[in-house]
Each structure stands twice: as structure tokens, then as C-alpha cells.
Amino acid sequence: GDSVTQMEGPVTLSEEAFLTINCTYTATGYPSLFWYVQYPGEGLQLLLKATKADDKGSNKGFEATYRKETTSFHLEKGSVQVSDSAVYFCALRMVDYKLSFGAGTTVTVRA
Amino acid sequence: SAVISQKPSRDICQRGTSLTIQCQVDSQVTMMFWYRQQPGQSLTLIATANQGSEATYESGFVIDKFPISRPNLTFSTLTVSNMSPEDSSIYLCSVDDSHYGYTFGSGTRLTVV
């Protein structure tokens, strides 16, 4: 079935470092892809999304490009801040409109 | 995007009891979803709740344990029945918010003692 595989964490970075979290997908057809963020003690927030190949989603300095040829949707940020410390989930919308989530990657940014 | 009000935000319950979680959406939506997030884990879909029909449960989840109601297009409840410590998790509702994506409630953090 449709699924995503996400880079395992945890990831620890210094402020202003470059962040990449890898996400690859397996799906029939061309699913919509999402990145969600969960800050400590909070629910999930949509960070960005892409609905078709070559789309680039962006928000709060984060970017991810829907790559059909590599079936990937890697999340990147050029200069992280302490406030970016959170758990990041890659997700895929399946044909029946359900979301399939990756395992989540815990990111800790140190000052 | 839709706004979801979920309550309670947290609860501590005795084993063997039941807890009902409510989600209220500020707009009409066709599909609502209920997820469980066990400690340190990702989200697992429990069921899809559609108005006017029985909820559709995922493998490993049954109606007797997680009964769901969906009386109209803006409201749903999930009950966790006959609780045990293994049910301690965060439970989240979600809606398919058309062009925006999927919106989630703030979650219910359940501890069973």
C-alpha cells in the first residue's frame, strides 16, 4: 500500500545550521504530500504541502520539492532556530483520502 | 482553514472506565478522522467517520472498543471504552480541509491508571 519512509532521528543541530530531513514515498499514482510539525505538548500543524510533481511547498523558511523521479519530498531549512525544535512528520494522502504518516523525526536545535 | 475544537485536552482515568472525546469543527466537512499517537510514536489512524453512516475502522481497531458518533457535518465523538494503561496515548481528530490540507485538533492526552 501507499506509504512514506522518513529519516529516523533524533537530529541535534546548532542554531543557524542547515537542516535536511529525508522523506521518500511509495504510491500508485501521484499522491499529495505533506510535512507536519508537532511542537512540544501541542497538536499537529501543517507546515507545507505539494500536490503534484515539481511543486515546491514553503513556509516559515522550510521548503520541500515533490520529486517524482526519486519519489522524494525532503524537508530543508537553511538556518534553523531554537524555536524550530519539534517533531516533523512526512505524510502522504492515499487514494481513499486517508493520511499515511512517517515515523517522525525529532529535531533539537541548541543555542 | 477549518478550526477544530477538541476536548478534553487531557484526562487521567481509572482502568475499566470510558472516556468520550469531542471534536467540533467550525465548518461542514464530509470526512473526519480519528488518530492515536502512542508515546514517542507516529500517528495511527483509528477510523474514518462519515455523517449518516457507520464509521470505518482500520485493522486492529474495533467498534466495541472505540465507538464513534457523527451526528452531523460539524461534530464527532470518539469513546475509548473499558480502558487499560495500554490506551494511554494522545488522541487526535482531523478533517480533510479541501484545498488547505488536513487540519488537526489540539489532541486529548489520556493517561490510564
Side-chain angles (χ1 to χ4, degrees), chain A residues 34 36 38 41-44 46 49 89 93 96-99 101-104, chain B residues 31 33 35 37 41-43 45 48 58 96 99-102 104-106 109:
Chain A
F34 306 84
Y36 281 87
Q38 187 175 36
E42 299 186 12
L44 263 72
L46 177 65
K49 69 172 184 176
F89 293 96
R93 176 161 62 194
D96 54 5
Y97 299 98
K98 301 173 186 176
L99 278 181
F101 283 90
Chain B
M31 303 177 80
F33 305 90
Y35 289 86
Q37 185 179 23
Q41 301 296 314
S42 186
L43 282 77
L45 181 64
T48 304
E58 298 300 303
D96 183 358
H99 302 296
Y100 175 77
Y102 292 78
F104 285 79
S106 54
R109 189 177 296 269

PDB file of all heavy atoms in Angstrom, chain A residues 34 36 38 41-44 46 49 89 93 96-99 101-104, chain B residues 31 33 35 37 41-43 45 48 58 96 99-102 104-106 109:
ATOM      1  N   PHE A  34       2.766  15.970   2.313  1.00  0.00           N
ATOM      2  CA  PHE A  34       2.673  16.969   3.361  1.00  0.00           C
ATOM      3  C   PHE A  34       3.843  16.829   4.338  1.00  0.00           C
ATOM      4  O   PHE A  34       4.385  15.733   4.535  1.00  0.00           O
ATOM      5  CB  PHE A  34       1.371  16.782   4.181  1.00  0.00           C
ATOM      6  CG  PHE A  34       0.117  16.764   3.361  1.00  0.00           C
ATOM      7  CD1 PHE A  34      -0.321  15.598   2.745  1.00  0.00           C
ATOM      8  CD2 PHE A  34      -0.641  17.914   3.224  1.00  0.00           C
ATOM      9  CE1 PHE A  34      -1.487  15.581   1.990  1.00  0.00           C
ATOM     10  CE2 PHE A  34      -1.816  17.905   2.478  1.00  0.00           C
ATOM     11  CZ  PHE A  34      -2.232  16.734   1.861  1.00  0.00           C
ATOM     12  N   TYR A  36       4.144  17.892   8.393  1.00  0.00           N
ATOM     13  CA  TYR A  36       3.502  18.412   9.585  1.00  0.00           C
ATOM     14  C   TYR A  36       4.552  18.592  10.674  1.00  0.00           C
ATOM     15  O   TYR A  36       5.553  17.867  10.725  1.00  0.00           O
ATOM     16  CB  TYR A  36       2.412  17.454  10.084  1.00  0.00           C
ATOM     17  CG  TYR A  36       1.124  17.549   9.307  1.00  0.00           C
ATOM     18  CD1 TYR A  36       0.941  16.798   8.149  1.00  0.00           C
ATOM     19  CD2 TYR A  36       0.104  18.398   9.720  1.00  0.00           C
ATOM     20  CE1 TYR A  36      -0.240  16.893   7.428  1.00  0.00           C
ATOM     21  CE2 TYR A  36      -1.079  18.505   9.004  1.00  0.00           C
ATOM     22  CZ  TYR A  36      -1.237  17.755   7.856  1.00  0.00           C
ATOM     23  OH  TYR A  36      -2.400  17.856   7.139  1.00  0.00           O
ATOM     24  N   GLN A  38       5.018  19.095  14.989  1.00  0.00           N
ATOM     25  CA  GLN A  38       4.398  18.988  16.311  1.00  0.00           C
ATOM     26  C   GLN A  38       5.362  19.562  17.332  1.00  0.00           C
ATOM     27  O   GLN A  38       6.397  18.950  17.635  1.00  0.00           O
ATOM     28  CB  GLN A  38       4.073  17.525  16.629  1.00  0.00           C
ATOM     29  CG  GLN A  38       3.280  17.327  17.905  1.00  0.00           C
ATOM     30  CD  GLN A  38       2.871  15.877  18.105  1.00  0.00           C
ATOM     31  OE1 GLN A  38       3.614  14.962  17.767  1.00  0.00           O
ATOM     32  NE2 GLN A  38       1.682  15.655  18.648  1.00  0.00           N
ATOM     33  N   GLY A  41       4.227  19.281  23.404  1.00  0.00           N
ATOM     34  CA  GLY A  41       2.955  19.427  24.099  1.00  0.00           C
ATOM     35  C   GLY A  41       1.807  19.930  23.258  1.00  0.00           C
ATOM     36  O   GLY A  41       0.732  20.228  23.797  1.00  0.00           O
ATOM     37  N   GLU A  42       1.982  20.016  21.959  1.00  0.00           N
ATOM     38  CA  GLU A  42       0.944  20.563  21.095  1.00  0.00           C
ATOM     39  C   GLU A  42       0.461  19.544  20.066  1.00  0.00           C
ATOM     40  O   GLU A  42       1.015  18.448  19.941  1.00  0.00           O
ATOM     41  CB  GLU A  42       1.445  21.814  20.387  1.00  0.00           C
ATOM     42  CG  GLU A  42       1.838  22.944  21.338  1.00  0.00           C
ATOM     43  CD  GLU A  42       2.195  24.217  20.599  1.00  0.00           C
ATOM     44  OE1 GLU A  42       1.936  24.315  19.386  1.00  0.00           O
ATOM     45  OE2 GLU A  42       2.758  25.119  21.258  1.00  0.00           O
ATOM     46  N   GLY A  43      -0.578  19.923  19.336  1.00  0.00           N
ATOM     47  CA  GLY A  43      -1.091  19.082  18.264  1.00  0.00           C
ATOM     48  C   GLY A  43      -0.287  19.266  16.992  1.00  0.00           C
ATOM     49  O   GLY A  43       0.775  19.890  16.993  1.00  0.00           O
ATOM     50  N   LEU A  44      -0.794  18.706  15.905  1.00  0.00           N
ATOM     51  CA  LEU A  44      -0.086  18.787  14.629  1.00  0.00           C
ATOM     52  C   LEU A  44      -0.489  20.034  13.861  1.00  0.00           C
ATOM     53  O   LEU A  44      -1.670  20.383  13.797  1.00  0.00           O
ATOM     54  CB  LEU A  44      -0.410  17.563  13.760  1.00  0.00           C
ATOM     55  CG  LEU A  44       0.603  16.443  13.820  1.00  0.00           C
ATOM     56  CD1 LEU A  44       0.503  15.749  15.159  1.00  0.00           C
ATOM     57  CD2 LEU A  44       0.367  15.446  12.701  1.00  0.00           C
ATOM     58  N   LEU A  46       0.040  21.872   9.997  1.00  0.00           N
ATOM     59  CA  LEU A  46       0.518  21.717   8.626  1.00  0.00           C
ATOM     60  C   LEU A  46       1.647  22.706   8.396  1.00  0.00           C
ATOM     61  O   LEU A  46       1.490  23.910   8.608  1.00  0.00           O
ATOM     62  CB  LEU A  46      -0.606  21.968   7.632  1.00  0.00           C
ATOM     63  CG  LEU A  46      -0.216  21.904   6.161  1.00  0.00           C
ATOM     64  CD1 LEU A  46       0.223  20.486   5.792  1.00  0.00           C
ATOM     65  CD2 LEU A  46      -1.378  22.346   5.283  1.00  0.00           C
ATOM     66  N   LYS A  49       2.873  21.733   1.909  1.00  0.00           N
ATOM     67  CA  LYS A  49       2.343  20.625   1.128  1.00  0.00           C
ATOM     68  C   LYS A  49       2.681  20.816  -0.339  1.00  0.00           C
ATOM     69  O   LYS A  49       3.062  21.913  -0.772  1.00  0.00           O
ATOM     70  CB  LYS A  49       0.826  20.543   1.297  1.00  0.00           C
ATOM     71  CG  LYS A  49       0.079  21.692   0.663  1.00  0.00           C
ATOM     72  CD  LYS A  49      -1.421  21.478   0.692  1.00  0.00           C
ATOM     73  CE  LYS A  49      -2.142  22.596  -0.043  1.00  0.00           C
ATOM     74  NZ  LYS A  49      -3.601  22.372  -0.116  1.00  0.00           N
ATOM     75  N   PHE A  89       6.792  15.374  10.779  1.00  0.00           N
ATOM     76  CA  PHE A  89       6.202  14.183  10.165  1.00  0.00           C
ATOM     77  C   PHE A  89       5.982  14.415   8.678  1.00  0.00           C
ATOM     78  O   PHE A  89       5.367  15.413   8.283  1.00  0.00           O
ATOM     79  CB  PHE A  89       4.838  13.868  10.791  1.00  0.00           C
ATOM     80  CG  PHE A  89       4.893  13.446  12.227  1.00  0.00           C
ATOM     81  CD1 PHE A  89       4.695  14.362  13.249  1.00  0.00           C
ATOM     82  CD2 PHE A  89       5.110  12.116  12.566  1.00  0.00           C
ATOM     83  CE1 PHE A  89       4.719  13.976  14.581  1.00  0.00           C
ATOM     84  CE2 PHE A  89       5.139  11.722  13.894  1.00  0.00           C
ATOM     85  CZ  PHE A  89       4.952  12.653  14.898  1.00  0.00           C
ATOM     86  N   ARG A  93      -1.188  11.528   1.169  1.00  0.00           N
ATOM     87  CA  ARG A  93      -2.631  11.283   1.102  1.00  0.00           C
ATOM     88  C   ARG A  93      -2.876  10.156   0.120  1.00  0.00           C
ATOM     89  O   ARG A  93      -2.515  10.242  -1.058  1.00  0.00           O
ATOM     90  CB  ARG A  93      -3.403  12.513   0.664  1.00  0.00           C
ATOM     91  CG  ARG A  93      -4.897  12.235   0.502  1.00  0.00           C
ATOM     92  CD  ARG A  93      -5.725  13.476   0.510  1.00  0.00           C
ATOM     93  NE  ARG A  93      -5.407  14.370  -0.577  1.00  0.00           N
ATOM     94  CZ  ARG A  93      -5.814  15.640  -0.640  1.00  0.00           C
ATOM     95  NH1 ARG A  93      -6.549  16.131   0.338  1.00  0.00           N
ATOM     96  NH2 ARG A  93      -5.494  16.389  -1.657  1.00  0.00           N
ATOM     97  N   ASP A  96      -7.897   6.878  -0.900  1.00  0.00           N
ATOM     98  CA  ASP A  96      -9.155   6.930  -0.157  1.00  0.00           C
ATOM     99  C   ASP A  96      -9.189   8.109   0.815  1.00  0.00           C
ATOM    100  O   ASP A  96      -9.972   8.107   1.766  1.00  0.00           O
ATOM    101  CB  ASP A  96      -9.390   5.612   0.592  1.00  0.00           C
ATOM    102  CG  ASP A  96      -8.213   5.235   1.478  1.00  0.00           C
ATOM    103  OD1 ASP A  96      -7.264   6.037   1.591  1.00  0.00           O
ATOM    104  OD2 ASP A  96      -8.249   4.134   2.066  1.00  0.00           O
ATOM    105  N   TYR A  97      -8.309   9.087   0.596  1.00  0.00           N
ATOM    106  CA  TYR A  97      -8.270  10.338   1.350  1.00  0.00           C
ATOM    107  C   TYR A  97      -7.718  10.193   2.756  1.00  0.00           C
ATOM    108  O   TYR A  97      -7.702  11.145   3.516  1.00  0.00           O
ATOM    109  CB  TYR A  97      -9.644  11.019   1.390  1.00  0.00           C
ATOM    110  CG  TYR A  97     -10.150  11.375   0.032  1.00  0.00           C
ATOM    111  CD1 TYR A  97     -11.055  10.550  -0.615  1.00  0.00           C
ATOM    112  CD2 TYR A  97      -9.698  12.518  -0.609  1.00  0.00           C
ATOM    113  CE1 TYR A  97     -11.501  10.866  -1.892  1.00  0.00           C
ATOM    114  CE2 TYR A  97     -10.144  12.828  -1.877  1.00  0.00           C
ATOM    115  CZ  TYR A  97     -11.038  12.008  -2.514  1.00  0.00           C
ATOM    116  OH  TYR A  97     -11.474  12.315  -3.768  1.00  0.00           O
ATOM    117  N   LYS A  98      -7.225   9.022   3.104  1.00  0.00           N
ATOM    118  CA  LYS A  98      -6.589   8.875   4.407  1.00  0.00           C
ATOM    119  C   LYS A  98      -5.143   9.335   4.311  1.00  0.00           C
ATOM    120  O   LYS A  98      -4.529   9.306   3.247  1.00  0.00           O
ATOM    121  CB  LYS A  98      -6.623   7.407   4.840  1.00  0.00           C
ATOM    122  CG  LYS A  98      -8.018   6.825   4.943  1.00  0.00           C
ATOM    123  CD  LYS A  98      -7.949   5.333   5.214  1.00  0.00           C
ATOM    124  CE  LYS A  98      -9.328   4.716   5.173  1.00  0.00           C
ATOM    125  NZ  LYS A  98      -9.266   3.249   5.343  1.00  0.00           N
ATOM    126  N   LEU A  99      -4.596   9.750   5.454  1.00  0.00           N
ATOM    127  CA  LEU A  99      -3.195  10.138   5.520  1.00  0.00           C
ATOM    128  C   LEU A  99      -2.354   8.989   6.066  1.00  0.00           C
ATOM    129  O   LEU A  99      -2.736   8.356   7.048  1.00  0.00           O
ATOM    130  CB  LEU A  99      -3.013  11.337   6.448  1.00  0.00           C
ATOM    131  CG  LEU A  99      -3.293  12.730   5.914  1.00  0.00           C
ATOM    132  CD1 LEU A  99      -3.021  13.763   6.993  1.00  0.00           C
ATOM    133  CD2 LEU A  99      -2.478  13.033   4.674  1.00  0.00           C
ATOM    134  N   PHE A 101       1.352   8.410   7.665  1.00  0.00           N
ATOM    135  CA  PHE A 101       2.423   9.208   8.263  1.00  0.00           C
ATOM    136  C   PHE A 101       3.734   8.436   8.332  1.00  0.00           C
ATOM    137  O   PHE A 101       3.745   7.209   8.524  1.00  0.00           O
ATOM    138  CB  PHE A 101       2.042   9.610   9.693  1.00  0.00           C
ATOM    139  CG  PHE A 101       1.060  10.730   9.765  1.00  0.00           C
ATOM    140  CD1 PHE A 101      -0.293  10.471   9.775  1.00  0.00           C
ATOM    141  CD2 PHE A 101       1.493  12.040   9.834  1.00  0.00           C
ATOM    142  CE1 PHE A 101      -1.213  11.510   9.834  1.00  0.00           C
ATOM    143  CE2 PHE A 101       0.584  13.082   9.901  1.00  0.00           C
ATOM    144  CZ  PHE A 101      -0.773  12.814   9.897  1.00  0.00           C
ATOM    145  N   GLY A 102       4.822   9.180   8.216  1.00  0.00           N
ATOM    146  CA  GLY A 102       6.118   8.617   8.525  1.00  0.00           C
ATOM    147  C   GLY A 102       6.294   8.506  10.028  1.00  0.00           C
ATOM    148  O   GLY A 102       5.428   8.924  10.814  1.00  0.00           O
ATOM    149  N   ALA A 103       7.443   7.966  10.420  1.00  0.00           N
ATOM    150  CA  ALA A 103       7.690   7.684  11.831  1.00  0.00           C
ATOM    151  C   ALA A 103       7.923   8.941  12.660  1.00  0.00           C
ATOM    152  O   ALA A 103       7.816   8.907  13.888  1.00  0.00           O
ATOM    153  CB  ALA A 103       8.889   6.753  11.970  1.00  0.00           C
ATOM    154  N   GLY A 104       8.226  10.060  12.003  1.00  0.00           N
ATOM    155  CA  GLY A 104       8.520  11.295  12.724  1.00  0.00           C
ATOM    156  C   GLY A 104      10.004  11.435  13.002  1.00  0.00           C
ATOM    157  O   GLY A 104      10.705  10.446  13.265  1.00  0.00           O
TER     158      GLY A 104
ATOM    159  N   MET B  31     -15.535  14.340   5.656  1.00  0.00           N
ATOM    160  CA  MET B  31     -14.782  13.262   6.291  1.00  0.00           C
ATOM    161  C   MET B  31     -14.073  13.770   7.538  1.00  0.00           C
ATOM    162  O   MET B  31     -13.407  14.802   7.512  1.00  0.00           O
ATOM    163  CB  MET B  31     -13.760  12.682   5.315  1.00  0.00           C
ATOM    164  CG  MET B  31     -14.383  12.161   4.018  1.00  0.00           C
ATOM    165  SD  MET B  31     -13.164  11.553   2.857  1.00  0.00           S
ATOM    166  CE  MET B  31     -12.856   9.925   3.549  1.00  0.00           C
ATOM    167  N   PHE B  33     -11.527  12.171  10.728  1.00  0.00           N
ATOM    168  CA  PHE B  33     -10.653  11.044  11.033  1.00  0.00           C
ATOM    169  C   PHE B  33     -10.242  11.100  12.497  1.00  0.00           C
ATOM    170  O   PHE B  33     -10.048  12.174  13.061  1.00  0.00           O
ATOM    171  CB  PHE B  33      -9.391  11.099  10.164  1.00  0.00           C
ATOM    172  CG  PHE B  33      -9.656  11.167   8.679  1.00  0.00           C
ATOM    173  CD1 PHE B  33      -9.785  12.395   8.048  1.00  0.00           C
ATOM    174  CD2 PHE B  33      -9.785  10.018   7.928  1.00  0.00           C
ATOM    175  CE1 PHE B  33     -10.027  12.475   6.692  1.00  0.00           C
ATOM    176  CE2 PHE B  33     -10.040  10.084   6.569  1.00  0.00           C
ATOM    177  CZ  PHE B  33     -10.155  11.316   5.951  1.00  0.00           C
ATOM    178  N   TYR B  35      -7.253   9.633  15.133  1.00  0.00           N
ATOM    179  CA  TYR B  35      -5.926   9.055  15.196  1.00  0.00           C
ATOM    180  C   TYR B  35      -5.528   8.804  16.640  1.00  0.00           C
ATOM    181  O   TYR B  35      -5.993   9.486  17.561  1.00  0.00           O
ATOM    182  CB  TYR B  35      -4.890  10.006  14.582  1.00  0.00           C
ATOM    183  CG  TYR B  35      -4.957  10.161  13.101  1.00  0.00           C
ATOM    184  CD1 TYR B  35      -5.813  11.088  12.513  1.00  0.00           C
ATOM    185  CD2 TYR B  35      -4.150   9.383  12.273  1.00  0.00           C
ATOM    186  CE1 TYR B  35      -5.868  11.228  11.139  1.00  0.00           C
ATOM    187  CE2 TYR B  35      -4.200   9.523  10.891  1.00  0.00           C
ATOM    188  CZ  TYR B  35      -5.057  10.443  10.334  1.00  0.00           C
ATOM    189  OH  TYR B  35      -5.096  10.585   8.969  1.00  0.00           O
ATOM    190  N   GLN B  37      -1.886   8.507  18.886  1.00  0.00           N
ATOM    191  CA  GLN B  37      -0.441   8.693  18.901  1.00  0.00           C
ATOM    192  C   GLN B  37       0.081   8.167  20.228  1.00  0.00           C
ATOM    193  O   GLN B  37      -0.031   8.826  21.267  1.00  0.00           O
ATOM    194  CB  GLN B  37      -0.064  10.164  18.708  1.00  0.00           C
ATOM    195  CG  GLN B  37       1.432  10.386  18.587  1.00  0.00           C
ATOM    196  CD  GLN B  37       1.799  11.842  18.366  1.00  0.00           C
ATOM    197  OE1 GLN B  37       1.049  12.756  18.705  1.00  0.00           O
ATOM    198  NE2 GLN B  37       2.971  12.082  17.797  1.00  0.00           N
ATOM    199  N   GLN B  41       5.596   7.869  19.466  1.00  0.00           N
ATOM    200  CA  GLN B  41       5.330   7.194  18.193  1.00  0.00           C
ATOM    201  C   GLN B  41       4.671   8.139  17.190  1.00  0.00           C
ATOM    202  O   GLN B  41       4.332   9.286  17.505  1.00  0.00           O
ATOM    203  CB  GLN B  41       4.401   5.995  18.422  1.00  0.00           C
ATOM    204  CG  GLN B  41       4.934   4.967  19.384  1.00  0.00           C
ATOM    205  CD  GLN B  41       6.181   4.303  18.892  1.00  0.00           C
ATOM    206  OE1 GLN B  41       6.275   3.886  17.744  1.00  0.00           O
ATOM    207  NE2 GLN B  41       7.189   4.216  19.752  1.00  0.00           N
ATOM    208  N   SER B  42       4.499   7.620  15.987  1.00  0.00           N
ATOM    209  CA  SER B  42       3.796   8.368  14.953  1.00  0.00           C
ATOM    210  C   SER B  42       2.284   8.223  15.130  1.00  0.00           C
ATOM    211  O   SER B  42       1.809   7.638  16.114  1.00  0.00           O
ATOM    212  CB  SER B  42       4.224   7.856  13.580  1.00  0.00           C
ATOM    213  OG  SER B  42       3.669   8.653  12.553  1.00  0.00           O
ATOM    214  N   LEU B  43       1.540   8.755  14.201  1.00  0.00           N
ATOM    215  CA  LEU B  43       0.082   8.702  14.267  1.00  0.00           C
ATOM    216  C   LEU B  43      -0.430   7.459  13.553  1.00  0.00           C
ATOM    217  O   LEU B  43       0.015   7.140  12.446  1.00  0.00           O
ATOM    218  CB  LEU B  43      -0.535   9.935  13.617  1.00  0.00           C
ATOM    219  CG  LEU B  43      -0.520  11.202  14.435  1.00  0.00           C
ATOM    220  CD1 LEU B  43       0.855  11.848  14.426  1.00  0.00           C
ATOM    221  CD2 LEU B  43      -1.565  12.194  13.932  1.00  0.00           C
ATOM    222  N   LEU B  45      -4.073   5.738  12.255  1.00  0.00           N
ATOM    223  CA  LEU B  45      -5.482   6.010  12.011  1.00  0.00           C
ATOM    224  C   LEU B  45      -6.344   4.955  12.698  1.00  0.00           C
ATOM    225  O   LEU B  45      -6.127   3.759  12.505  1.00  0.00           O
ATOM    226  CB  LEU B  45      -5.755   6.025  10.510  1.00  0.00           C
ATOM    227  CG  LEU B  45      -7.185   6.313  10.067  1.00  0.00           C
ATOM    228  CD1 LEU B  45      -7.599   7.726  10.467  1.00  0.00           C
ATOM    229  CD2 LEU B  45      -7.335   6.133   8.561  1.00  0.00           C
ATOM    230  N   THR B  48     -12.402   6.277  10.162  1.00  0.00           N
ATOM    231  CA  THR B  48     -12.946   7.392   9.397  1.00  0.00           C
ATOM    232  C   THR B  48     -14.425   7.517   9.734  1.00  0.00           C
ATOM    233  O   THR B  48     -15.160   6.520   9.677  1.00  0.00           O
ATOM    234  CB  THR B  48     -12.780   7.150   7.890  1.00  0.00           C
ATOM    235  OG1 THR B  48     -11.402   6.922   7.607  1.00  0.00           O
ATOM    236  CG2 THR B  48     -13.282   8.341   7.089  1.00  0.00           C
ATOM    237  N   GLU B  58      -9.943   0.889  10.978  1.00  0.00           N
ATOM    238  CA  GLU B  58      -8.717   0.322  10.439  1.00  0.00           C
ATOM    239  C   GLU B  58      -8.426  -1.003  11.141  1.00  0.00           C
ATOM    240  O   GLU B  58      -8.958  -1.293  12.226  1.00  0.00           O
ATOM    241  CB  GLU B  58      -7.549   1.287  10.631  1.00  0.00           C
ATOM    242  CG  GLU B  58      -7.731   2.604   9.909  1.00  0.00           C
ATOM    243  CD  GLU B  58      -7.886   2.427   8.406  1.00  0.00           C
ATOM    244  OE1 GLU B  58      -6.977   1.826   7.780  1.00  0.00           O
ATOM    245  OE2 GLU B  58      -8.898   2.902   7.864  1.00  0.00           O
ATOM    246  N   ASP B  96     -10.483  16.619   6.521  1.00  0.00           N
ATOM    247  CA  ASP B  96      -9.944  16.895   5.193  1.00  0.00           C
ATOM    248  C   ASP B  96     -10.463  18.269   4.793  1.00  0.00           C
ATOM    249  O   ASP B  96     -11.640  18.423   4.506  1.00  0.00           O
ATOM    250  CB  ASP B  96     -10.417  15.820   4.217  1.00  0.00           C
ATOM    251  CG  ASP B  96      -9.815  16.016   2.839  1.00  0.00           C
ATOM    252  OD1 ASP B  96      -9.076  16.990   2.628  1.00  0.00           O
ATOM    253  OD2 ASP B  96     -10.094  15.180   1.959  1.00  0.00           O
ATOM    254  N   HIS B  99      -8.787  22.402  -0.012  1.00  0.00           N
ATOM    255  CA  HIS B  99      -7.600  22.983  -0.628  1.00  0.00           C
ATOM    256  C   HIS B  99      -6.477  23.202   0.373  1.00  0.00           C
ATOM    257  O   HIS B  99      -5.306  23.241  -0.016  1.00  0.00           O
ATOM    258  CB  HIS B  99      -7.960  24.311  -1.293  1.00  0.00           C
ATOM    259  CG  HIS B  99      -9.025  24.183  -2.335  1.00  0.00           C
ATOM    260  ND1 HIS B  99      -8.854  23.451  -3.490  1.00  0.00           N
ATOM    261  CD2 HIS B  99     -10.284  24.663  -2.377  1.00  0.00           C
ATOM    262  CE1 HIS B  99      -9.963  23.512  -4.205  1.00  0.00           C
ATOM    263  NE2 HIS B  99     -10.843  24.225  -3.563  1.00  0.00           N
ATOM    264  N   TYR B 100      -6.801  23.344   1.624  1.00  0.00           N
ATOM    265  CA  TYR B 100      -5.768  23.638   2.613  1.00  0.00           C
ATOM    266  C   TYR B 100      -4.945  22.404   2.951  1.00  0.00           C
ATOM    267  O   TYR B 100      -3.730  22.457   3.040  1.00  0.00           O
ATOM    268  CB  TYR B 100      -6.416  24.199   3.877  1.00  0.00           C
ATOM    269  CG  TYR B 100      -5.453  24.431   5.007  1.00  0.00           C
ATOM    270  CD1 TYR B 100      -4.605  25.527   5.004  1.00  0.00           C
ATOM    271  CD2 TYR B 100      -5.381  23.535   6.068  1.00  0.00           C
ATOM    272  CE1 TYR B 100      -3.702  25.728   6.030  1.00  0.00           C
ATOM    273  CE2 TYR B 100      -4.496  23.739   7.106  1.00  0.00           C
ATOM    274  CZ  TYR B 100      -3.664  24.840   7.084  1.00  0.00           C
ATOM    275  OH  TYR B 100      -2.770  25.032   8.105  1.00  0.00           O
ATOM    276  N   GLY B 101      -5.600  21.301   3.116  1.00  0.00           N
ATOM    277  CA  GLY B 101      -4.912  20.085   3.556  1.00  0.00           C
ATOM    278  C   GLY B 101      -5.721  19.460   4.666  1.00  0.00           C
ATOM    279  O   GLY B 101      -6.942  19.553   4.685  1.00  0.00           O
ATOM    280  N   TYR B 102      -5.053  18.843   5.594  1.00  0.00           N
ATOM    281  CA  TYR B 102      -5.717  18.228   6.726  1.00  0.00           C
ATOM    282  C   TYR B 102      -5.457  19.060   7.968  1.00  0.00           C
ATOM    283  O   TYR B 102      -4.313  19.375   8.284  1.00  0.00           O
ATOM    284  CB  TYR B 102      -5.213  16.801   6.943  1.00  0.00           C
ATOM    285  CG  TYR B 102      -5.627  15.853   5.834  1.00  0.00           C
ATOM    286  CD1 TYR B 102      -4.968  15.851   4.620  1.00  0.00           C
ATOM    287  CD2 TYR B 102      -6.695  14.984   6.007  1.00  0.00           C
ATOM    288  CE1 TYR B 102      -5.350  15.001   3.603  1.00  0.00           C
ATOM    289  CE2 TYR B 102      -7.083  14.125   4.993  1.00  0.00           C
ATOM    290  CZ  TYR B 102      -6.399  14.140   3.796  1.00  0.00           C
ATOM    291  OH  TYR B 102      -6.779  13.296   2.787  1.00  0.00           O
ATOM    292  N   PHE B 104      -5.846  19.392  12.128  1.00  0.00           N
ATOM    293  CA  PHE B 104      -5.946  18.533  13.305  1.00  0.00           C
ATOM    294  C   PHE B 104      -6.428  19.325  14.514  1.00  0.00           C
ATOM    295  O   PHE B 104      -6.120  20.521  14.661  1.00  0.00           O
ATOM    296  CB  PHE B 104      -4.579  17.927  13.633  1.00  0.00           C
ATOM    297  CG  PHE B 104      -4.176  16.830  12.700  1.00  0.00           C
ATOM    298  CD1 PHE B 104      -3.660  17.113  11.450  1.00  0.00           C
ATOM    299  CD2 PHE B 104      -4.342  15.500  13.064  1.00  0.00           C
ATOM    300  CE1 PHE B 104      -3.297  16.092  10.580  1.00  0.00           C
ATOM    301  CE2 PHE B 104      -3.992  14.477  12.205  1.00  0.00           C
ATOM    302  CZ  PHE B 104      -3.464  14.775  10.962  1.00  0.00           C
ATOM    303  N   GLY B 105      -7.162  18.627  15.365  1.00  0.00           N
ATOM    304  CA  GLY B 105      -7.460  19.177  16.670  1.00  0.00           C
ATOM    305  C   GLY B 105      -6.192  19.199  17.515  1.00  0.00           C
ATOM    306  O   GLY B 105      -5.174  18.623  17.148  1.00  0.00           O
ATOM    307  N   SER B 106      -6.288  19.848  18.654  1.00  0.00           N
ATOM    308  CA  SER B 106      -5.113  20.011  19.517  1.00  0.00           C
ATOM    309  C   SER B 106      -4.785  18.746  20.295  1.00  0.00           C
ATOM    310  O   SER B 106      -3.743  18.671  20.937  1.00  0.00           O
ATOM    311  CB  SER B 106      -5.330  21.172  20.485  1.00  0.00           C
ATOM    312  OG  SER B 106      -6.530  20.974  21.198  1.00  0.00           O
ATOM    313  N   ARG B 109      -4.790  14.256  25.586  1.00  0.00           N
ATOM    314  CA  ARG B 109      -3.731  13.454  26.205  1.00  0.00           C
ATOM    315  C   ARG B 109      -4.347  12.622  27.315  1.00  0.00           C
ATOM    316  O   ARG B 109      -4.771  13.140  28.347  1.00  0.00           O
ATOM    317  CB  ARG B 109      -2.633  14.358  26.753  1.00  0.00           C
ATOM    318  CG  ARG B 109      -1.388  13.637  27.215  1.00  0.00           C
ATOM    319  CD  ARG B 109      -0.351  14.660  27.677  1.00  0.00           C
ATOM    320  NE  ARG B 109       0.083  15.518  26.582  1.00  0.00           N
ATOM    321  CZ  ARG B 109       1.117  15.270  25.789  1.00  0.00           C
ATOM    322  NH1 ARG B 109       1.836  14.181  25.987  1.00  0.00           N
ATOM    323  NH2 ARG B 109       1.454  16.119  24.834  1.00  0.00           N
TER     324      ARG B 109
END
